């Protein structure tokens, strides 16, 4: 069972989901793959993890780099999980490229990984903002693809540079 909670943010309404213990989703209203991993029987109910995530989001949108002090449990394949784990290691205010993530995963797994495959996993990140897929840019540093829209990606990156 998934529980959902809405949060109004500077980048639009966010939908948060949890299993009651861990955050399982965070989507920006209208984004590509919106609520893609949400169960069909989701119930609107505020949980302690929603409140912790909302507190984190408030601090984040106030220009702080808060620590994640609640469990995250995104739903996805083992490859996607590995990509999302790498995303979590990108420091606040920094960016990396799809190719760099692919190279990092290749080192970890010993298997070749393409930037395109990484891009697919990044695009399907079900916990936007907190798992910082907005920090991934093209090889030239140009902003490329973001499920929440390039304007939102730009806003989030600018917010992080204000620290």
């Amino acid at each position: 069972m998934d529980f959902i909670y809405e949060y109004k943010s500077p980048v639009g309404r966010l939908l948060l989901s949890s299993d009651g213990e861990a955050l399982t989703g965070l989507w920006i209203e209208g984004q590509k793959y919106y609520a893609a991993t949400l169960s069909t029987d989701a119930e609107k109910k505020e949980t302690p993890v929603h409140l912790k995530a909302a507190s984190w989001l408030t601090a984040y949108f106030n220009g702080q780099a808060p620590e994640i002090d609640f469990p995250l449990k995104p739903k996805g394949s083992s490859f996607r999980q590995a990509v999302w784990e790498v995303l979590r290691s990108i420091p606040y205010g920094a960016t990396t490229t799809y190719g760099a993530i692919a190279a990092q995963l290749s080192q970890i797994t010993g298997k070749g990984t393409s930037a395109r495959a990484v891009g697919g996993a990044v695009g399907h990140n079900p916990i936007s903002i907190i798992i910082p897929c907005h920090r991934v840019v093209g090889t030239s540093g140009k902003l490329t693809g973001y499920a929440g829209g390039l304007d939102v990606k730009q806003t989030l990156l600018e917010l992080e540079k204000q620290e």
Side-chain angles (χ1 to χ4, degrees):
M1 164 72 74
D2 286 324
F3 302 103
I4 56 174
Y5 175 83
E6 290 186 359
Y7 179 89
K8 291 182 183 176
S9 84
V11 295
R13 188 182 319 236
L14 305 179
L15 178 67
L16 287 73
S17 70
S18 83
D19 60 8
E21 295 180 17
L23 193 70
T24 57
L26 189 163
W27 300 276
I28 303 162
E29 189 172 51
Q31 83 172 59
K32 194 173 185 181
Y33 312 117
Y34 182 81
T37 59
L38 192 61
S39 63
T40 55
D41 64 347
E43 177 184 319
K44 206 171 197 176
K45 178 182 175 185
E46 184 179 280
T47 68
V49 74
H50 287 140
L51 297 178
K52 284 189 173 199
S55 178
W56 186 97
L57 288 163
T58 298
Y60 177 81
F61 286 116
N62 283 326
Q64 299 170 25
E67 290 294 319
I68 299 169
D69 64 349
F70 49 91
L72 303 178
K73 193 173 166 184
K75 300 172 188 171
S77 69
S78 59
F79 175 74
R80 287 181 178 177
Q81 295 284 345
V83 170
W84 301 334
E85 193 59 37
V86 171
L87 293 179
R88 291 185 65 188
S89 72
I90 305 168
Y92 180 91
T95 59
T96 192
T97 65
Y98 299 96
I101 293 172
Q104 189 175 348
L105 286 172
S106 293
Q107 270 192 321
I108 293 167
T109 65
K111 299 177 186 175
T113 302
S114 74
R116 177 168 282 198
V118 167
V122 169
H124 284 86
N125 171 18
I127 304 180
S128 295
I129 304 171
I130 294 174
I131 297 179
C133 50
H134 60 277
R135 296 180 188 152
V136 184
V137 298
T139 303
S140 66
K142 182 179 177 187
L143 298 188
T144 58
Y146 184 64
L150 289 181
D151 56 331
V152 172
K153 184 174 191 166
Q154 180 70 43
T155 298
L156 297 173
L157 291 173
E158 288 174 3
L159 174 74
E160 292 184 12
K161 291 192 186 318
Q162 293 176 16
E163 183 181 58

